[in-house]
Amino acid sequence: HLQGQDQNTTIITADNQGTIFTLTADHITITDLTFLNSAGQPDTAALAIHANHTTITHCIIYRHRIGIAITNHTDLTITNCMIHVTQQGLHATNCTHLTITGTYCYHNAIGLFIRNTTNITLTTSYLHTCGIACDLNNDTIIHIDTCAFSDNDDNQGGLYLTNTNNTILLHCTFTRNTHFALKLLKTPFLYAQNCSFTDNIRSAIWSENSTLAIHNNIFQNSSNYGLYASNTTADASRNWWGGFLGPTYT
């Protein structure tokens, strides 16, 4: 267990020289630390994890090429952290059981970049002012609950799902995202309920070659589409579309 005295004053920096920590032992917990200024090379990160059952809590991860990198391992938990000013806040590939709770992820090119991973849980987190807040590709069993995606811009947007299966999206808000709040490509199944899509620039949900069921959601003030669906099977009943007459241009 590696614990700092205070996350704001206990600062570990690489002074732009390489990765700060490489973890190779299982069952490590890191808490109350700031990780600052790893190098900018593609293979460097604040934390490079080559281990299972890792917990990172109450940490600040700031100014890195990659904040947290993990490949081919299981059970990473991130709670109550701040991850900002990175190219990728989290880079996870070929993993199982990834849990992120109570975390702020902002001012990143891509907040969460996740590939070929199973059992992803994202709850009570705020992802804002990124190019893309969350980019998932070829993942399965995804549960996102009570999260906010806002002001993600650079002509990109909030939550991107490509070839992801069994995604459940509950009680989330999508506000002022540019281009897409939620984008689906070749996604076999997404279920969204009790979410709010308001004031998004261009489209709230953009779906191509996908299947989705969306119920009891609010769609309001998107500049182009509340829902755009191409080659898509969609059950979009019981939603509020910003007016008593329901959606238009269907």
Side-chain angles (χ1 to χ4, degrees):
H1 189 158
L2 178 63
Q3 182 171 1
Q5 187 175 33
D6 182 276
Q7 65 175 346
N8 295 299
T9 58
T10 310
I11 300 171
I12 302 174
T13 178
D15 288 329
N16 303 307
Q17 302 293 319
T19 292
I20 297 178
F21 277 170
T22 298
L23 309 182
T24 58
D26 295 343
H27 300 285
I28 291 179
T29 297
I30 298 175
T31 186
D32 292 312
L33 291 167
T34 288
F35 296 93
L36 176 67
N37 288 344
S38 61
Q41 288 84 7
D43 59 345
T44 60
L47 297 170
I49 300 172
H50 304 287
N52 302 310
H53 312 296
T54 302
T55 299
I56 302 167
T57 180
H58 293 93
C59 288
I60 298 172
I61 297 170
Y62 173 54
R63 293 180 64 182
H64 306 281
R65 178 70 173 259
I66 297 174
I68 301 168
I70 182 170
T71 302
N72 297 321
H73 287 87
T74 187
D75 194 14
L76 170 64
T77 300
I78 302 169
T79 62
N80 299 306
C81 290
M82 290 189 289
I83 304 172
H84 60 121
V85 192
T86 71
Q87 182 171 315
Q88 296 176 6
L90 169 68
H91 180 110
T93 57
N94 301 309
C95 296
T96 60
H97 294 97
L98 172 63
T99 302
I100 302 169
T101 302
T103 289
Y104 285 76
C105 192
Y106 58 100
H107 292 169
N108 306 290
I110 300 175
L112 308 177
F113 180 93
I114 304 173
R115 296 290 187 269
N116 304 307
T117 292
T118 301
N119 287 303
I120 301 166
T121 301
L122 175 63
T123 60
T124 57
S125 294
Y126 186 21
L127 299 94
H128 68 88
T129 54
C130 299
I132 299 175
C134 189
D135 186 358
L136 278 61
N137 193 319
N138 203 34
D139 304 307
T140 187
I141 311 178
I142 303 153
H143 184 89
I144 302 174
D145 195 341
T146 320
C147 291
F149 300 80
S150 74
D151 299 288
N152 298 290
D153 50 23
D154 194 23
N155 282 325
Q156 298 184 79
L159 175 59
Y160 281 37
L161 304 175
T162 303
N163 196 31
T164 60
N165 196 15
N166 196 9
T167 301
I168 297 175
L169 186 64
L170 303 173
H171 308 291
C172 293
T173 61
F174 295 81
T175 307
R176 296 184 304 277
N177 297 285
T178 300
H179 220 66
F180 311 106
L182 170 59
K183 183 177 182 181
L184 310 176
L185 295 176
K186 299 179 180 178
T187 292
F189 182 72
L190 171 124
Y191 180 82
Q193 182 174 325
N194 296 324
C195 296
S196 173
F197 299 84
T198 58
D199 300 310
N200 293 289
I201 300 171
R202 298 187 179 91
S203 300
I205 299 178
W206 182 283
S207 176
E208 297 181 46
N209 303 298
S210 299
T211 299
L212 64 153
I214 53 175
H215 304 301
N216 301 320
N217 303 290
I218 295 171
F219 294 88
Q220 203 158 268
N221 297 332
S222 295
S223 58
N224 285 357
Y225 302 103
L227 169 64
Y228 174 89
S230 174
N231 296 317
T232 289
T233 300
D235 180 354
S237 57
R238 303 190 307 276
N239 296 292
W240 172 256
W241 299 96
F244 291 106
L245 298 178
T248 58
Y249 305 111
T250 55

